[in-house]
């Protein structure tokens, strides 16, 4: 069996081209199906966080619902109940409270 494999002609140029094309294809698939969508999602989240304004109903990453009472450079103050205000980092705001997650996935 090994003798047959050793006698087979080796065309290194063709096999090298196929190997390069295979790796380019694998990298392309990783980029278009994994890296690019993640970058788009991060860009959308950053745009959302930058557009926060007073009066928006939001949900934090931890699930806390509240209305934005004030916005600073890196923090937001959420009013979670009448007279109860909590300070959060802007990056901890995950989404608007008025949009349901199922509707968000359809977009």
């Amino acid at each position: 069996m090994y003798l047959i494999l050793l006698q087979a002609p080796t065309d290194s140029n063709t096999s090298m081209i196929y190997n390069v094309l295979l790796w380019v294809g694998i990298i392309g698939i990783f980029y278009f199906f994994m890296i690019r969508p993640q970058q788009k999602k991060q860009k959308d989240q950053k745009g959302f966080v930058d557009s926060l304004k007073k009066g928006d109903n939001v949900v934090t990453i931890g699930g806390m619902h509240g209305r934005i009472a004030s916005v600073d450079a890196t923090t937001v103050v959420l009013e979670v109940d009448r007279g109860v205000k909590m300070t959060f980092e802007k990056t901890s705001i995950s989404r608007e409270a008025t949009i349901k997650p199922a509707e968000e996935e359809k977009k």
Side-chain angles (χ1 to χ4, degrees):
M1 178 81 164
Y2 293 115
L3 196 59
I4 294 172
L5 292 175
L6 291 174
Q7 291 177 356
T10 58
D11 191 1
S12 63
N13 288 339
T14 306
S15 66
M16 190 167 109
I17 290 172
Y18 287 129
N19 279 336
V20 169
L21 288 176
L22 176 70
W23 282 107
V24 168
I26 290 172
I27 291 169
I29 288 171
F30 272 108
Y31 177 76
F32 283 108
F33 289 109
M34 297 178 78
I35 297 169
R36 189 167 166 229
Q38 184 65 29
Q39 288 175 341
K40 184 180 182 299
K41 196 174 201 179
Q42 287 174 346
K43 182 180 174 185
D44 291 344
Q45 181 66 18
K46 184 177 180 340
F48 168 71
V49 168
D50 290 339
S51 70
L52 291 175
K53 61 188 179 301
K54 183 178 178 179
D56 288 346
N57 290 321
V58 294
V59 179
T60 65
I61 292 172
M64 181 77 69
H65 290 248
R67 175 171 286 149
I68 297 178
S70 69
V71 180
D72 294 327
T74 59
T75 61
V76 292
V77 177
L78 293 184
E79 185 175 5
V80 293
D81 199 12
R82 290 186 199 131
V84 179
K85 294 182 179 181
M86 301 175 79
T87 305
F88 291 93
E89 290 290 321
K90 271 187 169 180
T91 56
S92 70
I93 306 298
S94 77
R95 63 181 176 89
E96 281 188 77
T98 55
I99 298 176
K100 295 189 176 20
E103 292 175 6
E104 202 172 86
E105 290 175 5
K106 290 179 184 176
K107 289 184 178 180

